[in-house]
Amino acid sequence: MEFHVDGTHGSAVVGLFGAKLQGRNQTPKPVWNPDLADGHDYADDWAQVPTNDLFLNGFRQQWEEFLASYVQGTDYPFDLLAGARGVQLAEAGLASARDGRKVTLDELTLG
Protein backbone atom coordinates (compact mmCIF):
# COMPACT_ATOMS: atom_id res chain seq x y z
CA MET A 1 0.00 0.00 0.00
CA GLU A 2 1.27 3.45 -0.83
CA PHE A 3 -0.19 6.93 -0.50
CA HIS A 4 0.99 9.82 -2.67
CA VAL A 5 -0.06 13.28 -1.54
CA ASP A 6 0.65 16.43 -3.53
CA GLY A 7 0.31 19.75 -1.74
CA THR A 8 1.04 23.38 -2.46
CA HIS A 9 4.31 23.23 -0.50
CA GLY A 10 5.54 19.82 -1.58
CA SER A 11 4.72 16.16 -2.01
CA ALA A 12 4.93 13.01 0.10
CA VAL A 13 4.95 9.32 -0.66
CA VAL A 14 4.17 7.11 2.32
CA GLY A 15 4.10 3.34 2.42
CA LEU A 16 3.93 0.72 5.13
CA PHE A 17 7.65 0.86 5.79
CA GLY A 18 8.81 4.39 5.10
CA ALA A 19 8.11 7.83 3.76
CA LYS A 20 9.77 10.23 1.33
CA LEU A 21 9.25 13.96 0.97
CA GLN A 22 9.98 16.50 -1.70
CA GLY A 23 9.51 20.14 -0.82
CA ARG A 24 8.31 22.63 -3.40
CA ASN A 25 11.74 24.30 -3.50
CA GLN A 26 13.49 20.95 -4.01
CA THR A 27 11.22 19.81 -6.85
CA PRO A 28 13.17 19.81 -10.13
CA LYS A 29 11.82 21.88 -13.00
CA PRO A 30 12.90 19.87 -16.04
CA VAL A 31 12.53 21.20 -19.56
CA TRP A 32 11.54 18.47 -21.97
CA ASN A 33 13.58 18.31 -25.13
CA PRO A 34 12.92 15.31 -27.37
CA ASP A 35 16.34 15.75 -29.01
CA LEU A 36 18.33 15.35 -25.79
CA ALA A 37 18.48 12.46 -23.36
CA ASP A 38 17.71 13.39 -19.76
CA GLY A 39 20.15 11.58 -17.48
CA HIS A 40 18.78 13.11 -14.27
CA ASP A 41 17.65 10.54 -11.66
CA TYR A 42 14.46 12.15 -10.34
CA ALA A 43 13.97 9.44 -7.70
CA ASP A 44 17.14 10.68 -5.95
CA ASP A 45 15.50 14.09 -5.43
CA TRP A 46 13.21 12.68 -2.73
CA ALA A 47 14.32 12.96 0.92
CA GLN A 48 13.85 9.91 3.16
CA VAL A 49 11.91 10.67 6.35
CA PRO A 50 13.82 9.31 9.35
CA THR A 51 12.16 6.70 11.54
CA ASN A 52 11.94 8.34 14.95
CA ASP A 53 9.90 5.66 16.71
CA LEU A 54 9.48 1.92 16.47
CA PHE A 55 5.94 0.57 16.58
CA LEU A 56 4.85 -2.87 17.65
CA ASN A 57 2.61 -4.98 15.49
CA GLY A 58 -0.80 -3.27 15.75
CA PHE A 59 -2.70 -6.50 16.41
CA ARG A 60 -0.28 -7.49 19.17
CA GLN A 61 -0.44 -4.06 20.77
CA GLN A 62 -4.24 -4.03 20.76
CA TRP A 63 -4.36 -7.58 22.19
CA GLU A 64 -1.95 -6.58 25.00
CA GLU A 65 -4.11 -3.51 25.76
CA PHE A 66 -7.18 -5.74 25.94
CA LEU A 67 -5.50 -8.20 28.30
CA ALA A 68 -4.23 -5.39 30.54
CA SER A 69 -7.73 -3.92 30.65
CA TYR A 70 -9.17 -7.32 31.56
CA VAL A 71 -6.63 -7.92 34.34
CA GLN A 72 -7.14 -4.40 35.76
CA GLY A 73 -10.93 -4.71 35.53
CA THR A 74 -11.29 -1.53 33.47
CA ASP A 75 -13.60 -0.97 30.52
CA TYR A 76 -12.03 -1.68 27.15
CA PRO A 77 -13.09 0.97 24.60
CA PHE A 78 -13.13 -1.34 21.58
CA ASP A 79 -16.09 -3.66 22.07
CA LEU A 80 -18.06 -5.79 19.61
CA LEU A 81 -19.94 -2.75 18.35
CA ALA A 82 -16.66 -0.94 17.61
CA GLY A 83 -15.51 -3.96 15.59
CA ALA A 84 -18.82 -3.99 13.68
CA ARG A 85 -18.38 -0.28 12.87
CA GLY A 86 -14.91 -1.04 11.53
CA VAL A 87 -16.30 -3.73 9.24
CA GLN A 88 -19.10 -1.36 8.18
CA LEU A 89 -16.54 1.34 7.32
CA ALA A 90 -14.36 -1.08 5.33
CA GLU A 91 -17.37 -2.32 3.33
CA ALA A 92 -18.51 1.26 2.69
CA GLY A 93 -15.01 2.16 1.46
CA LEU A 94 -15.07 -0.73 -1.01
CA ALA A 95 -18.56 0.22 -2.21
CA SER A 96 -17.54 3.87 -2.58
CA ALA A 97 -14.48 2.95 -4.65
CA ARG A 98 -16.44 0.49 -6.77
CA ASP A 99 -19.42 2.81 -7.44
CA GLY A 100 -17.55 6.14 -7.46
CA ARG A 101 -19.90 7.78 -4.96
CA LYS A 102 -20.20 8.72 -1.32
CA VAL A 103 -21.71 6.10 0.97
CA THR A 104 -23.78 7.00 4.02
CA LEU A 105 -23.17 4.88 7.10
CA ASP A 106 -26.16 3.78 9.16
CA GLU A 107 -25.88 3.99 12.93
CA LEU A 108 -25.24 0.58 14.44
CA THR A 109 -26.89 -0.56 17.63
CA LEU A 110 -27.10 -3.81 19.57
CA GLY A 111 -30.47 -5.50 19.34
Side-chain angles (χ1 to χ4, degrees):
M1 175 174 51
E2 183 175 277
F3 296 99
H4 186 126
V5 180
D6 290 317
T8 56
H9 296 286
S11 299
V13 177
V14 181
L16 292 175
F17 301 103
K20 292 184 176 186
L21 300 173
Q22 188 175 71
R24 179 175 59 186
N25 294 335
Q26 288 78 32
T27 302
K29 312 290 188 278
V31 177
W32 183 67
N33 184 341
D35 297 327
L36 298 174
D38 186 358
H40 185 82
D41 185 0
Y42 293 99
D44 282 344
D45 293 332
W46 291 80
Q48 187 73 34
V49 176
T51 303
N52 296 328
D53 202 356
L54 296 176
F55 297 97
L56 296 175
N57 176 290
F59 297 108
R60 174 184 171 178
Q61 188 170 352
Q62 207 168 27
W63 181 242
E64 288 176 355
E65 290 171 3
F66 169 76
L67 291 175
S69 174
Y70 179 79
V71 169
Q72 296 165 3
T74 59
D75 288 335
Y76 188 65
F78 306 111
D79 57 6
L80 178 64
L81 199 53
R85 283 192 299 268
V87 171
Q88 180 190 36
L89 180 62
E91 290 175 343
L94 291 170
S96 175
R98 179 187 63 240
D99 301 339
R101 63 177 178 85
K102 291 182 181 180
V103 175
T104 302
L105 299 179
D106 297 326
E107 184 176 347
L108 293 179
T109 59
L110 293 175

